[in-house]
Amino acid sequence: MNHSFKPGQVWLDTSGKRIQAHGGSVMYVDGTYYWYGENKEKTDGKNGIWTWGVRCYSSKDLYNWEDRGCIIPPDLNDEDSSLNPYRAMLDRPHIIYNAQTKKYVCWMKVMHHDQTQTETVMTADHILGPYTMVRDHLKPLGMSAGDFDLAVAPDGKAYYYFERVHSETICADLTDDYTNVTGYYSTHFPHCYPPYVREATAHFVRNYHHYLLTSGTTGYYPNPTEAAIADTWHGPYTVLGNLCPTDESRTSFHSQISSVFKVPGKKDLYIACADRWLPSRMNVKYEDVEKLFAMNFSRKYTKEEIRLQRAKIEDAGDSGQNTSLADYVWLPLKFDGDRVTMEWKDEWRVEDYD
């Protein structure tokens, strides 16, 4: 039994297996917590499998999680399916509940082998499924949409925050059934190229302020998380700076935040739920990663210069990307007025918060 959070340590479910719920979120439904995300159990970095469906776990205390299986299983029969783990790369599932339609709506980003990125949308009557596909190969607003988050306002209106690939962040209004965009949107944080383009957007509301936590675009290598604040869903957003100012490695404690969960019944406890994608690569310096990604998207460098920079990173440790061994870093957010930061804790408990 677990009685606390221990960020960065191996987290096992109640059957003794690694939890596989990456790039996902936590929902609280009828007294039970549900944690869902990418099932990386077969992603060894060599077999070409990116994600083996969407897996979900349930808990009563946030510490101990029971495996409830793949709520969206892989489609092994249809080679053209966005759910086929050998033909498409599915990640970042996010689920919201529509009180009007009484449906759970799941959006997933899908990267295809022709380098296009689309969205797949499915619905279910219960968070555990079964889920039915309602939209596939969707290009919201005609854009190539990357990492994202979904959010629902108290009045039932929903919003979709996503990375317009290698460009900017978009906030788009969702239709009443949450399965498409209306066409109204706003743009934020424009950048010329990675690693400075923002991705992995995580939205939350506190004291009527809207916060966006975003990472840079450096693949599975971690980078400094940036915090921004606004008074409305569409902003404008003011950048507050590095979320983790005490982290000298500039890697957000070697993690990438996928979502923020407000713990019900707690006055001011917001948990940043993050993935430590490459625990074996913590010796890699962010400065080297930053330089490599900037070189890749600049015309100033030769292929040989880029190759040498990449070799410098790979020489720092295990060059594989076996995300089946990825860990989790869950930490409480800290507030000073409206400013938000995140500090490292080796161990902490929900019970320590009012």
Side-chain angles (χ1 to χ4, degrees):
M1 290 283 291
N2 297 315
H3 301 284
S4 62
F5 299 111
K6 297 179 180 179
Q9 296 191 24
V10 176
W11 202 346
L12 304 179
D13 65 21
T14 54
S15 67
K17 297 180 180 179
R18 278 181 178 267
I19 294 174
Q20 297 288 348
H22 299 283
S25 300
V26 177
M27 290 187 75
Y28 186 68
V29 182
D30 297 331
T32 299
Y33 301 101
Y34 292 92
W35 177 13
Y36 61 85
E38 305 165 35
N39 179 20
K40 294 286 194 180
E41 64 178 332
K42 296 181 182 292
T43 307
D44 63 7
K46 300 176 182 179
N47 57 18
I49 296 173
W50 187 262
T51 303
W52 197 262
V54 177
R55 203 170 200 93
C56 188
Y57 299 79
S58 63
S59 173
K60 292 294 186 179
D61 59 10
L62 290 172
Y63 305 132
N64 300 280
W65 295 91
E66 177 186 356
D67 183 6
R68 306 302 294 268
C70 279
I71 58 174
I72 300 178
D75 185 347
L76 304 180
N77 298 317
D78 184 357
E79 289 189 355
D80 296 324
S81 172
S82 295
L83 302 179
N84 188 304
Y86 298 101
R87 303 290 295 176
M89 295 177 284
L90 180 155
D91 61 19
R92 300 285 168 177
H94 286 285
I95 301 172
I96 50 178
Y97 180 69
N98 190 312
Q100 181 177 345
T101 64
K102 301 189 185 306
K103 295 285 187 180
Y104 289 86
V105 183
C106 178
W107 284 56
M108 295 166 283
K109 181 187 80 175
V110 179
M111 297 177 288
H112 303 275
H113 286 292
D114 63 0
Q115 302 304 309
T116 60
Q117 296 192 38
T118 63
E119 304 298 309
T120 295
V121 184
M122 306 183 76
T123 63
D125 295 328
H126 190 277
I127 188 172
L128 294 178
Y131 283 81
T132 301
M133 188 176 296
V134 295
R135 297 191 191 278
D136 198 17
H137 297 282
L138 173 65
K139 293 196 72 173
L141 307 168
M143 300 176 183
S144 181
D147 292 356
F148 69 96
D149 197 5
L150 302 175
V152 179
D155 64 1
K157 188 173 179 57
Y159 301 85
Y160 167 47
Y161 294 89
F162 69 93
E163 173 216 358
R164 185 179 186 182
V165 174
H166 295 168
S167 176
E168 59 192 344
T169 297
I170 304 292
C171 174
D173 290 10
L174 292 184
T175 54
D176 289 343
D177 64 2
Y178 302 171
T179 69
N180 206 341
V181 292
T182 66
Y184 183 83
Y185 68 97
S186 56
T187 63
H188 311 274
F189 320 134
H191 290 280
C192 294
Y193 49 75
Y196 310 109
V197 176
R198 312 314 300 169
E199 68 173 4
T201 306
H203 170 277
F204 67 96
V205 178
R206 177 183 179 268
N207 292 346
Y208 303 103
H209 293 302
H210 296 262
Y211 291 85
L212 294 181
L213 307 183
T214 60
S215 79
T217 37
T218 53
Y220 278 138
Y221 293 102
N223 54 64
T225 297
E226 185 177 271
I229 188 173
D231 291 329
T232 69
W233 294 89
H234 283 280
Y237 281 86
T238 299
V239 174
L240 299 175
N242 187 356
L243 179 70
C244 309
T246 61
D247 176 24
E248 296 182 358
S249 72
R250 300 180 66 207
T251 63
S252 307
F253 305 115
H254 301 282
S255 70
Q256 182 186 43
I257 296 170
S258 63
S259 61
V260 174
F261 177 62
K262 170 67 170 66
V263 179
K266 294 294 180 178
K267 180 180 179 181
D268 209 26
L269 178 54
Y270 294 77
I271 301 177
C273 304
D275 298 278
R276 180 170 285 175
W277 293 110
L278 303 173
S280 65
R281 312 237 59 212
M282 290 172 59
N283 289 333
V284 175
K285 295 181 179 180
Y286 170 67
E287 290 76 13
D288 292 331
V289 173
E290 179 184 29
K291 183 177 180 180
L292 173 63
F293 276 78
M295 291 171 69
N296 277 328
F297 289 89
S298 172
R299 298 181 179 180
K300 298 179 181 179
Y301 301 92
T302 67
K303 291 183 178 179
E304 179 61 15
E305 288 174 318
I306 294 174
R307 186 192 68 80
L308 290 174
Q309 182 65 18
R310 181 177 292 108
K312 182 179 181 180
I313 291 173
E314 292 179 351
D315 287 345
D318 173 21
S319 60
Q321 295 199 352
N322 183 355
T323 52
S324 70
L325 301 178
D327 291 321
Y328 303 96
V329 174
W330 284 22
L331 289 169
L333 296 178
K334 181 179 179 181
F335 298 94
D336 182 5
D338 296 333
R339 185 165 293 275
V340 58
T341 57
M342 187 171 76
E343 298 178 350
W344 180 257
K345 294 179 181 292
D346 290 326
E347 185 176 7
W348 66 280
R349 291 167 46 84
V350 170
E351 291 78 7
D352 295 335
Y353 291 78
D354 295 333

